[in-house]
Amino acid sequence: MLNLDFGSLFGGKGQLLGLDIGSSAIKLVQMKESKGRYSLQKFGMQILEPEVIVDGTVMDAGRVVSAIKELIRESNVKLKNVAMSISGHSVIVKKINLPPMPEDEVEGQVKLAAEQYIPFDINEVNLDFHILNAIEQSEDGQPQMSVLLVAAKKDKVNELTELVKGAGLTPAVLDVDAFAIENMYDINYRMGPDEITTLVNLGASVMNVNIVKGGTSVFTRDISVGGNRYTEAIQRELGVPYDEAEAAKKGGRHGALDADSVNSVIESVNAEVSSEIARSIDYFKSTYTDGEIERIIMCGGCAKVTGLVQQLSDRMGVKVEIANPFNQVETASCDFDQGSLADLAPVAAVGVGLALRTVGDK
């Protein structure tokens, strides 16, 4: 299992609370593991007003902190140490190749190599890495080390840290959204060593694509297209306010809106989202020829938008399904309404992946 850890930035130990701070909502997940089996202890979600976090940028930190506090209070959570995650333009994930070397020398070489791969000032980012393969053969037959490099902008890391601290919690681990959904997938779905699956997390402002082979990520991409695109298109095309457009997107009552007109707008955005996913997969195929993608698993707040799964399946010619982050997780011990939990399950994917983290794991 691939698991990038920024935990060295912070203190903390033991069980962690998964806190997914998204543009449209904050999700909280607390899990318990015993002998390889998982149970859900706590789940909660707090909706944010659209102007609080815009395209991943926090516009009103005070309201975010208040929302986290309210979520902690409502969920009756006692844990203080938190795992959180980032995505979008503030994080770069890059596979690099280095000459084979002792593990204790890798960190220094990664820092030297990072400057040519990171489009930010190296002093403005936190770096982490994960060794994918200590020795593999390059195209010209020479031995090389395959390393996954991650760089997160310090200002974004500090922003998240201050939000969590402001709510009286302790930041312990910082992950990446794309890898959090991989953690979720790893415990809930069986996968063969050569099976290739595309994981897609469709959030409000960013879509994460993570293509995994067996238990290892082989391609990631963050795309600045999300569920807000549907809401904005309905507002623009049908001339309705935000709340009405948001309800229509989610399949709620359309009020005075014509259902066919709403569906037409949604289908056009579905085509845009599907095109971005297809473009990512096509790029992956152009650089990685060892195997075919067998299925696409969708999660996130907009994974269940009407018609998206079918349109994507028709376009890609593979099975597309909605993720269930509780597929292999016992949920009866959680006091959250079980019907609502099943309905909201795709939204919990990142939070579940974060709640699986422990300080110092890889």
Side-chain angles (χ1 to χ4, degrees), residues 180-191:
I181 59 173
E182 184 182 338
N183 296 343
M184 174 280 297
Y185 171 72
D186 189 47
I187 68 159
N188 282 292
Y189 294 87
R190 292 182 178 178
M191 54 191 137

Side-chain angles (χ1 to χ4, degrees), residues 34-46:
S34 178
K35 298 179 180 177
R37 301 185 68 84
Y38 297 89
S39 62
L40 178 68
Q41 295 179 298
K42 302 286 184 182
F43 175 75
M45 185 167 78
Q46 188 81 8

Side-chain angles (χ1 to χ4, degrees), residues 87-109:
S87 65
H89 299 305
S90 296
V91 61
I92 301 293
V93 179
K94 182 78 175 178
K95 181 184 173 184
I96 64 174
N97 297 314
L98 298 173
M101 67 187 71
E103 194 167 332
D104 60 0
E105 296 178 13
V106 176
E107 183 173 355
Q109 290 301 312

